[in-house]
Amino acid sequence: MSESVPKLAITMGDGGGVGPELALRVWQHPAVREAGIPLLMGDARLFTRVAEICRIPLPETITLSQIANLPSDSEGCIVDVGHLEAETVTPGTYSAETGRASYETMCVAIDAAIAGTVDAVVTGPIQKEAWMQAGIPFPGHTELLAHRVGEANGTGPVDVRMMLASETIACVLETIHVPLADVPGMLNSESLAHTIEMAGRAMQRRNRRRGSLLPPRIGVCGLNPHAGEHGMFSHGEEERIVAPAIETARQGGWDVLGPLPPDTAFTPAMRDRIDVYVCLYHDQGLIPLKALSFDDAVNVTLGLPIVRTSVDHGTAMDLAWKGTASEKSLIAAIRLASELVESTP
């Protein structure tokens, strides 16, 4: 934990999307200033282009080595990590070059967090197709974080989970960016029990930050329609995998409901009974979350020794550099990152 004002690395995301614009728009926001020192990481020339087009104030630019000397009352700055021919970037268009730049910027931010140069990483949206075009061997931020942190620790990829949270709903995903057809074969009780525990611990931390000692209530979704209806609409995944994982979690002291029929799990009455959902695949959790909290949900990577939060939206290429994209999710991600830094022992 930082002994002073948290230094928060905010990565630009894909240069052709809304990430650079949103980063520039929030660095002067009162809630961001209250959260810590915003460090906009990316290509300084690109930030300058975006600021000129969108008529946004531009903070000063520093290098990575100058972060340590920033005063506690710093208003924030751009940390120039280069990596991009900014003049060639077209708003609303991604490429292998923008993908490579967003990847390399993210690597710099992760390494800075591992080294303690920054206190948290808040990630702008990337374009996954651009990473693929650039030959990046990771489908997204979460997988890169797990690999790079593990590589730094010499342990291999870290066992992480993706949590999406807002004031209305929170979901932790058992599987992430995989084809739906592959999900059943990837499920096992041991991993799912660990996910339930990670979800519970994350919500315990949130509750403590808010002054509550109440134990979190965890809901675990089934895989199939009606949670399988006792095998009528399933291959027994609920009985063989989900129910044993829930029992293990209960024996560990967690308050768990499930397996829940996914079609009724997110009704208002159920949300009143549940603090966090464990969902078995990507869209099972993200469809209700984005329907309820598209503008203010935050992505948190659980299981890391560093703090990482993110916006819960994409690059919005159709809105890039137009001044119309909402900055609410980025502000929420910055505020949560600051809270997590402050609550880390």
Side-chain angles (χ1 to χ4, degrees):
M1 174 178 167
S2 173
E3 295 179 356
S4 57
V5 180
K7 296 183 177 73
L8 308 175
I10 304 169
T11 63
M12 68 178 184
D14 193 283
V18 296
E21 173 195 338
L22 293 179
L24 287 168
R25 278 167 49 193
V26 306
W27 75 275
Q28 288 188 314
H29 194 283
V32 173
R33 294 286 179 83
E34 184 178 340
I37 301 173
L39 305 173
L40 313 189
M41 284 198 171
D43 188 278
R45 292 171 299 176
L46 181 71
F47 278 124
T48 300
R49 274 196 67 199
V50 175
E52 290 174 351
I53 291 172
C54 297
R55 299 182 181 179
I56 306 173
L58 189 71
E60 67 171 328
T61 296
I62 66 170
T63 63
L64 193 67
S65 62
Q66 294 176 297
I67 293 176
N69 297 323
L70 285 172
S72 60
D73 61 350
S74 170
E75 296 182 345
C77 51
I78 292 169
V79 180
D80 185 20
V81 297
H83 303 311
L84 190 61
E85 293 295 329
E87 296 77 14
T88 68
V89 177
T90 301
T93 302
Y94 63 87
S95 65
E97 288 71 27
T98 63
R100 172 64 62 179
S102 65
Y103 165 75
E104 292 180 348
T105 299
M106 185 63 187
C107 289
V108 170
I110 295 170
D111 292 347
I114 293 171
T117 306
V118 301
D119 297 293
V121 178
V122 182
T123 55
I126 61 166
Q127 190 75 27
K128 293 179 175 62
E129 296 93 336
W131 279 28
M132 183 175 65
Q133 289 181 12
I136 307 302
F138 305 101
H141 280 132
T142 303
E143 295 84 357
L144 170 60
L145 282 154
H147 174 84
R148 200 164 185 92
V149 169
E151 188 176 56
N153 293 340
T155 60
V158 178
D159 191 16
V160 298
R161 299 293 186 275
M162 180 187 290
M163 181 173 81
L164 296 306
S166 71
E167 293 299 318
T168 304
I169 185 173
C171 299
V172 177
L173 307 182
E174 173 64 7
T175 63
I176 309 175
H177 299 123
V178 298
L180 186 57
D182 295 345
V183 170
M186 298 179 67
L187 300 177
N188 67 80
S189 291
E190 182 179 0
S191 174
L192 184 55
H194 183 50
T195 302
I196 296 170
E197 180 180 1
M198 292 176 81
R201 293 194 183 283
M203 299 310 286
Q204 272 187 334
R205 290 179 65 185
R206 187 193 73 168
N207 289 350
R208 284 200 298 268
R209 290 198 312 272
R210 299 178 177 189
S212 173
L213 297 179
L214 293 175
R217 302 165 299 172
I218 306 166
V220 181
C221 291
L223 176 67
N224 299 287
H226 299 196
E229 199 77 68
H230 305 291
M232 290 179 62
F233 310 130
S234 72
H235 297 293
E237 292 89 353
E238 282 76 15
E239 290 76 17
R240 292 184 292 105
I241 300 170
V242 183
I246 289 173
E247 183 56 31
T248 297
R250 286 172 176 162
Q251 290 177 4
W254 298 105
D255 180 4
V256 189
L257 289 175
L260 301 174
D263 61 342
T264 57
F266 303 98
T267 62
M270 289 300 296
R271 295 202 310 273
D272 285 342
R273 301 174 57 193
I274 293 171
D275 296 310
V276 59
Y277 291 88
V278 172
C279 302
L280 303 188
Y281 56 92
H282 185 277
D283 286 6
Q284 187 178 68
L286 266 65
I287 288 173
L289 182 126
K290 291 189 176 184
L292 293 166
S293 302
F294 185 79
D295 282 337
D296 61 350
V298 177
N299 182 349
V300 184
T301 306
L302 306 181
L304 293 173
I306 63 174
V307 173
R308 181 262 174 162
T309 65
S310 178
V311 296
D312 183 36
H313 59 70
T315 52
M317 291 289 174
D318 58 323
L319 302 179
W321 307 15
K322 294 180 180 178
T324 57
S326 172
E327 66 270 27
K328 288 182 180 179
S329 182
L330 181 55
I331 292 172
I334 292 168
R335 294 180 65 179
L336 180 57
S338 177
E339 290 178 359
L340 291 174
V341 168
E342 292 170 0
S343 68
T344 301

